[in-house]
Amino acid sequence: MLAMANTESSGDTARPWQCYNTAYTNAKAGMEGVDKEKVQRIVYEMSKGSQYFRNEERKEAFIREKIENMRARCAKLKPADLAHYQTVADKIILELEATRDLSRIWVHVDMDAFYAAVETLSDPSLKGKPMAVGGMSMISTANYEARRFGVRAAMPGFIARKLCPELIFVPTDFKKYTYYSDLTRKDEAYLDVTEVCKERGTTGEEIARELRAGVHDETGGLTCSAGVAPNRLLAKVCSDINKPNGQFILPNDRMAVMTFISSLPVRKIGGIGKVTEHILRDALGISTCEEILQKSSYICALFSNSSADFFLSVGLAIGGTDTPQVRSRRSISNERTFSATGDEAFLFCKLADIAEMLSTDLQKEGLRGRTLTLKLKTASFEVRTRAVTSQKNICSTEDIMKHASKLLKAELPVSLRLIGLRLSHFDEEKVGAPSDPTQKTLTDYMLSGDALRKNMGDQSSLDLDPTDHCMMHVEETCLSKDGHQTSCDYRDPLDENHLSNLDDSKSTSGNFEEKEEIYESTSNANAEKMNANDNQNEDNVQDVVRPLLGPGYSFPDQFEGSSLDRVNSVTKTLGDVASSSVSQKKFLLWVNDYKCSICGIEMPPSFVEERQEHFDFHLAEKLQKEESGTDFKTCVLKKRNVPKDHIASQRKHKKQKPSPKEGKHIPIDAFFVKSNQNF
DNA sequence: GGGGAAACTACTC
DNA sequence: TTCCAGAGTAGTTTCCCC
């Protein structure tokens, strides 16, 4: 982020942008040779003064303080202390060296600018032109032509356009990427090809070449890069060296490995990001992996045991050579960004949306958990998390909202630009499935990869042990563009019925008639469900409604301790046209002749006036026309289209696993990683 | 003081 | 004109309870 070139440069007021590295990093493939000074200046000019910028400055100050503390600790170390830490470091280095395994051949395959490449494949006119996938607020990835201008993933589009005025923006199309990532078995993979090489008398280099050719043929032109090395840490680094459409082979030789790692910038290592790079450089003067070993005593003095172990293994170029166990998912979350607002009704609407999306995801994966974490990003970009652990496992929208609204309410008043919910601490019985619904087994990967096998030349030699498993990972992450909604999609958290409708496009439509149809078709089942769950939801009614009332309004006494049945019956009575037609379960909030009622309780006119923008008068007129016999103006809470199908398209469904084929069996230890997986 | 929960940070793409 | 994402994991620190 605001990485300082060095601490001395912090006082450089003539070129303040030199301190502002938010959007520029030459750690990314394709960014070499970028006019760093120009990019930094433009990004600085476009960012300065913004809330985002101020928050980055705050974070940078925090890191600088941390670095100063570390320097102070270093300065206090006496020769005897340093000698002690050197002994500790030497012992760790010896132990690590004893674990070095140069017998394996690992290949890391990585797709090149995946989203951008897919878009170019479907529109060849984009070829050779600078292009970014995304929009003005944020871009997901940029092709190599755009990267030469300093444009990169996770950069706001308006800055990218300033850097490259000819930049072509292509909106994200997740269905397309899903299709192609299915073909390529995702876009990043580790394969232990040791046994294949032995059996076929070939090299890792040749296997990598064949794999890349297979991906190219299978997809009709997408390219990938590969790294071949004795361990996963090195293979990952190597795959980045000759990007795009290239490969790099590191021999299984200690001298070659040590020579390779010695001059390698620490930032090239997976797990070392901009902050760690900054700290290592400015606190300890470490920029390359070789320097980690040279300053090993300081590493042991300043960092925790696990961090020191990691840094020293990086210095020695020692990485994982085994095939990691498939790990179960630890948490599941959903978050959305929107235009910053302090409107509490809006914030609770958003919260309800997210709770429902989370619940849908949980039910799709059959998960239940105990710890709910609310994530908030304030208008000033400050991130807060608040968590609660309940006695019982939860997964329903109602239960999530019950806890989430309490957590959010405790933070009010606050102006927010993001709300997220995460559920963790899963029910042990429910855990066991792969952590990612898109994960497939190694058998899936190879047995369904006909073209790949064809390119490998010998089908039978690649049949796999069906007990092998692997993990998959989507490299280019999803970027939802519903970030700046001003309208509100509030579903009654008391309504269990919507859960069964989430995959139905009608349930997310803004069309009134369609919602009514759904309600009609499911009301009986819903009523039964609600009766069954009546007791469970007694608290919930108040918890959900109370926050909606906003400051100055208390939950009406007449509803203290109310059951759902009572609320529903009153809502039906008072709500007549609005509630019975639109489904009182879909809308807690409605307006009757400019008097707003929540759960049938009339609110003062000021409540409506303060929230005028949330009411859809057009929809109200339509409703009024259709419902003859009404003599009052009815307004319902504006319904926003939630692109659920868009979200759903980001998640892939498991494919039927083909039956293992007969034939010669040579296992390939391959797995598809999560980005944060240890090497 | 140990252990668990919560809060926060860093990192990956 | 547009104005800085989303999902997930892990490590560290802090706090609180027993």
Side-chain angles (χ1 to χ4, degrees):
Chain A
M1 280 292 171
L2 297 170
M4 315 295 294
N6 53 56
T7 48
E8 283 72 35
S9 73
S10 60
D12 188 343
T13 50
R15 291 192 173 105
W17 56 84
Q18 288 186 335
C19 307
Y20 191 67
N21 285 340
T22 292
Y24 177 75
T25 170
N26 56 4
K28 191 79 184 167
M31 305 289 284
E32 299 85 359
V34 172
D35 185 345
K36 185 178 176 179
E37 174 96 3
K38 184 184 168 192
V39 172
Q40 279 181 308
R41 181 172 49 78
I42 290 173
V43 172
Y44 174 81
E45 292 296 334
M46 304 229 22
S47 304
K48 68 176 178 185
S50 67
Q51 291 278 15
Y52 178 81
F53 183 88
R54 280 197 281 275
N55 189 58
E56 291 302 304
E57 284 185 317
R58 187 182 58 79
K59 280 156 61 180
E60 166 62 16
F62 179 80
I63 293 169
R64 269 208 301 274
E65 190 184 332
K66 191 174 176 179
I67 288 171
E68 284 310 313
N69 287 338
M70 292 176 96
R71 289 177 130 191
R73 282 165 62 196
C74 282
K76 282 183 188 166
L77 288 172
K78 294 173 182 152
D81 298 325
L82 281 173
H84 164 72
Y85 286 117
Q86 191 62 61
T87 309
V88 172
D90 290 345
K91 185 167 176 281
I92 296 170
I93 289 171
L94 269 178
E95 287 169 2
L96 286 168
E97 190 63 58
T99 68
R100 189 188 293 278
D101 180 1
L102 291 167
S103 69
R104 311 304 299 180
I105 302 171
W106 278 91
V107 178
H108 179 247
V109 184
D110 196 10
M111 297 300 292
D112 301 324
F114 184 55
Y115 288 8
V118 168
E119 293 297 344
T120 307
L121 200 62
S122 58
D123 180 4
S125 73
L126 294 168
K127 198 170 183 179
K129 297 173 187 166
M131 179 266 277
V133 176
M136 275 299 144
S137 60
M138 185 56 69
I139 61 179
S140 292
T141 194
N143 67 7
Y144 285 83
E145 286 79 3
R147 289 183 192 187
R148 282 197 275 274
F149 290 86
V151 175
R152 51 157 297 166
M155 175 183 274
F158 68 97
I159 291 179
R161 171 148 289 173
K162 186 80 175 176
L163 289 170
C164 175
E166 302 82 38
L167 187 66
I168 299 167
F169 286 89
V170 178
T172 45
D173 182 349
F174 293 107
K175 281 181 184 166
K176 213 185 286 178
Y177 313 140
T178 301
Y179 171 78
Y180 280 100
S181 62
D182 273 349
L183 287 181
T184 61
R185 257 44 72 178
K186 290 294 164 66
D187 51 81
E188 187 177 23
Y190 286 93
L191 296 96
D192 180 349
V193 299
T194 314
E195 302 306 321
V196 176
C197 288
K198 278 183 194 166
E199 185 73 20
R200 293 177 54 191
T202 186
T203 61
E205 179 177 5
E206 190 53 35
I207 298 284
R209 202 184 307 284
E210 290 173 0
L211 280 165
R212 289 175 45 235
V215 168
H216 185 269
D217 290 354
E218 174 106 354
T219 59
L222 293 183
T223 64
C224 62
S225 300
V228 182
N231 62 49
R232 296 192 298 276
L233 179 143
L234 291 169
K236 167 89 173 162
V237 174
C238 289
S239 69
D240 203 52
I241 289 178
N242 284 324
K243 261 185 174 293
N245 199 19
Q247 60 186 56
F248 183 87
I249 287 79
L250 185 58
N252 291 41
D253 172 79
R254 189 179 183 281
M255 182 68 82
V257 166
M258 293 310 289
T259 305
F260 174 80
I261 202 81
S262 64
S263 59
L264 194 72
V266 292
R267 186 69 170 83
K268 293 282 184 186
I269 302 292
I272 297 182
K274 64 199 165 200
V275 173
T276 309
E277 177 193 32
H278 190 177
I279 290 171
L280 286 175
R281 186 187 57 214
D282 289 351
L284 294 174
I286 292 172
S287 295
T288 64
C289 296
E290 185 179 36
E291 288 162 349
I292 292 176
L293 292 185
Q294 290 166 358
K295 304 205 170 162
S296 55
S297 57
Y298 289 96
I299 293 279
C300 290
L302 292 181
F303 294 100
S304 68
N305 289 348
S306 62
S307 297
D309 284 356
F310 170 70
F311 287 132
L312 293 177
S313 66
V314 166
L316 291 166
I318 290 173
T321 55
D322 57 328
T323 301
Q325 296 291 306
V326 175
R327 282 184 292 193
S328 301
R329 183 200 276 279
R330 304 288 172 89
S331 68
I332 186 166
S333 65
N334 227 298
E335 65 188 58
R336 285 295 176 275
T337 296
F338 43 84
S339 297
T341 177
D343 184 317
E344 291 170 15
F346 176 90
L347 294 178
F348 278 95
C349 286
K350 267 289 167 197
L351 187 69
D353 279 352
I354 293 161
E356 187 180 308
M357 290 189 280
L358 179 62
S359 176
T360 306
D361 290 348
L362 283 163
Q363 297 193 16
K364 274 182 189 164
E365 300 204 24
L367 291 169
R368 298 182 305 170
R370 286 178 51 210
T371 302
L372 184 74
T373 305
L374 173 72
K375 177 180 173 182
L376 306 174
K377 195 184 279 183
T378 66
S380 56
F381 286 85
E382 176 205 347
V383 176
R384 297 181 199 169
T385 56
R386 299 289 180 264
V388 63
T389 300
S390 71
Q391 293 292 319
K392 59 169 191 170
N393 288 295
I394 60 169
C395 69
S396 69
T397 309
E398 294 78 15
D399 285 340
I400 292 169
M401 266 308 275
K402 178 180 171 180
H403 295 293
S405 24
K406 278 181 188 165
L407 292 171
L408 177 57
K409 200 180 174 190
E411 300 300 310
L412 299 176
V414 65
S415 181
L416 299 175
R417 66 183 334 277
L418 174 144
I419 294 178
L421 286 172
R422 171 177 299 269
L423 195 71
S424 56
H425 207 148
F426 289 138
D427 182 2
E428 290 296 323
E429 290 175 14
K430 299 279 180 183
V431 178
S435 62
D436 186 330
T438 66
Q439 287 176 12
K440 299 165 188 175
T441 66
L442 177 61
T443 312
D444 290 338
Y445 171 74
M446 297 307 284
L447 290 182
S448 60
D450 293 328
L452 187 63
R453 198 180 294 112
K454 191 168 61 197
N455 274 283
M456 297 290 275
D458 177 4
Q459 281 206 20
S460 61
S461 72
L462 282 166
D463 284 341
L464 300 165
D465 183 346
T467 61
D468 280 348
H469 290 283
C470 62
M471 295 166 67
M472 310 197 97
H473 167 63
V474 181
E475 179 195 352
E476 312 280 359
T477 48
C478 312
L479 181 63
S480 173
K481 302 314 298 176
D482 71 335
H484 297 280
Q485 306 281 356
T486 52
S487 56
C488 197
D489 174 16
Y490 185 71
R491 282 187 196 79
D492 184 348
L494 311 181
D495 178 14
E496 296 196 356
N497 194 39
H498 65 263
L499 296 174
S500 58
N501 287 328
L502 289 172
D503 285 329
D504 186 334
S505 61
K506 289 175 179 177
S507 68
T508 58
S509 161
N511 183 294
F512 167 71
E513 291 86 352
E514 290 176 343
K515 283 195 289 287
E516 183 178 19
E517 184 184 313
I518 288 166
Y519 174 59
E520 291 299 325
S521 66
T522 55
S523 56
N524 291 338
N526 196 44
E528 282 173 20
K529 271 189 198 174
M530 286 200 294
N531 285 336
N533 293 324
D534 213 10
N535 293 334
Q536 287 180 12
N537 283 313
E538 280 193 10
D539 294 335
N540 200 20
V541 175
Q542 297 164 43
D543 291 338
V544 170
V545 174
R546 231 192 229 107
L548 277 172
L549 303 179
Y553 304 109
S554 59
F555 190 85
D557 288 340
Q558 66 194 98
F559 275 102
E560 284 291 350
S562 288
S563 67
L564 263 182
D565 266 1
R566 171 151 166 70
V567 172
N568 281 327
S569 70
V570 176
T571 308
K572 273 179 186 158
T573 309
L574 298 181
D576 42 25
V577 172
S579 64
S580 63
S581 300
V582 179
S583 162
Q584 78 276 22
K585 298 181 191 66
K586 298 289 179 195
F587 301 102
L588 271 180
L589 194 65
W590 47 273
V591 177
N592 186 348
D593 199 15
Y594 293 102
K595 289 175 185 169
C596 175
S597 299
I598 297 176
C599 276
I601 305 302
E602 189 174 293
M603 303 308 298
S606 59
F607 182 87
V608 181
E609 285 162 17
E610 286 164 15
R611 293 162 174 80
Q612 284 282 340
E613 70 272 24
H614 292 309
F615 299 103
D616 185 347
F617 291 91
H618 175 73
L619 187 58
E621 284 172 17
K622 189 176 172 184
L623 177 64
Q624 195 179 2
K625 276 181 193 168
E626 287 168 2
E627 299 291 331
S628 57
T630 63
D631 57 0
F632 54 83
K633 188 179 283 182
T634 304
C635 302
V636 295
L637 196 65
K638 191 169 181 178
K639 189 88 174 109
R640 176 177 64 77
N641 279 319
V642 180
K644 285 261 166 49
D645 52 343
H646 155 88
I647 293 162
S649 73
Q650 296 167 18
R651 301 191 175 279
K652 277 196 272 297
H653 302 291
K654 285 185 179 177
K655 283 185 173 175
Q656 286 289 320
K657 191 192 288 187
S659 58
K661 294 183 178 179
E662 296 295 321
K664 204 172 185 179
H665 164 73
I666 296 178
I668 298 180
D669 275 337
F671 70 100
F672 302 81
V673 291
K674 291 278 176 199
S675 57
N676 49 10
Q677 194 141 16
N678 291 331
F679 304 103

